């Protein structure tokens, strides 16, 4: 009787292992064509405002690396990340903004004049790529420029 339970247990473990092998991974490999298109679109359409090269005081929007960080924190997986990014770029609003302090500081970004396919390429690239970070540290720079006035940093 005891051996039957052991055998049934082993069969259960084997079935579970086979089932797990047949399921797709949560993070599929990036599509190289979409990555190239997304990188190009990001550089030509997004970095004019979200540049990692802008200085702390000369920036007009948060850097793209900060945006990616906030969307990764608030979403689960590439599909949800992309849906959230695309929805916001198609119809930016203060209600759906994930970076409320950035909207307070810089204002709401304009609606992007990109097609659905282009927005998918941008979000695919953002999700998979190592987005360049600015050379400054927003916490250190914020303290330097706030001079202890207790205001929040907007990154």
């Amino acid at each position: 009787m005891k051996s039957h339970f052991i055998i049934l247990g082993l069969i259960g473990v084997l079935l579970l292992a086979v089932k797990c092998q047949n399921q797709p991974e949560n993070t599929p490999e990036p599509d190289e064509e979409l990555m190239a298109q997304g990188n190009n679109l990001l550089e030509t359409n997004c970095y004019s405002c979200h540049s990692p090269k802008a200085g702390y005081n000369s920036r007009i929007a948060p850097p793209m690396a900060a945006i990616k960080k906030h969307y990764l924190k608030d979403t689960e997986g590439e599909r949800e990340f992309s849906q959230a990014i695309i929805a916001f770029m198609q119809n930016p609003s203060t209600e759906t903004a994930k970076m409320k302090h950035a909207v307070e500081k810089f204002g709401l970004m304009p609606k992007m004049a990109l097609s659905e396919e282009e927005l998918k390429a941008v979000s695919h690239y953002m999700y998979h790529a190592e987005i360049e970070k600015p050379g400054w540290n927003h916490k250190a720079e914020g303290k330097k420029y706030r001079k202890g006035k207790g205001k929040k940093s907007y990154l």
Side-chain angles (χ1 to χ4, degrees), residues 14-70:
L14 287 172
L15 288 173
L16 184 61
V18 169
K19 183 179 177 185
C20 289
Q21 285 180 345
N22 291 333
Q23 290 185 354
E25 292 180 352
N26 288 342
T27 308
E29 290 296 314
D31 178 299
E32 293 304 319
E33 187 176 318
L34 275 180
M35 291 294 285
Q37 182 185 11
N39 181 39
N40 183 47
L41 288 164
L42 197 74
E43 288 181 2
T44 57
N45 294 282
C46 306
Y47 278 164
S48 56
C49 296
H50 298 283
S51 175
K53 307 280 188 231
Y56 183 78
N57 274 344
S58 62
R59 61 197 173 115
I60 60 172
M64 197 57 70
I67 295 167
K68 178 179 177 174
K69 177 182 171 186
H70 283 271

Side-chain angles (χ1 to χ4, degrees), residues 51-123:
S51 175
K53 307 280 188 231
Y56 183 78
N57 274 344
S58 62
R59 61 197 173 115
I60 60 172
M64 197 57 70
I67 295 167
K68 178 179 177 174
K69 177 182 171 186
H70 283 271
Y71 275 83
L72 284 174
K73 181 180 74 174
D74 291 345
T75 60
E76 194 171 311
E78 182 178 0
R79 182 177 174 176
E80 195 175 317
F81 176 89
S82 292
Q83 287 173 339
I85 290 278
I86 291 169
F88 186 76
M89 288 195 295
Q90 287 178 328
N91 189 26
S93 72
T94 54
E95 296 78 28
T96 60
K98 296 204 181 288
M99 300 177 73
K100 305 285 188 202
H101 297 297
V103 172
E104 289 172 13
K105 180 173 176 75
F106 303 114
L108 197 58
M109 70 176 274
K111 181 178 178 179
M112 295 303 296
L114 297 173
S115 71
E116 178 93 17
E117 292 305 312
E118 289 172 321
L119 293 173
K120 285 179 184 177
V122 168
S123 68

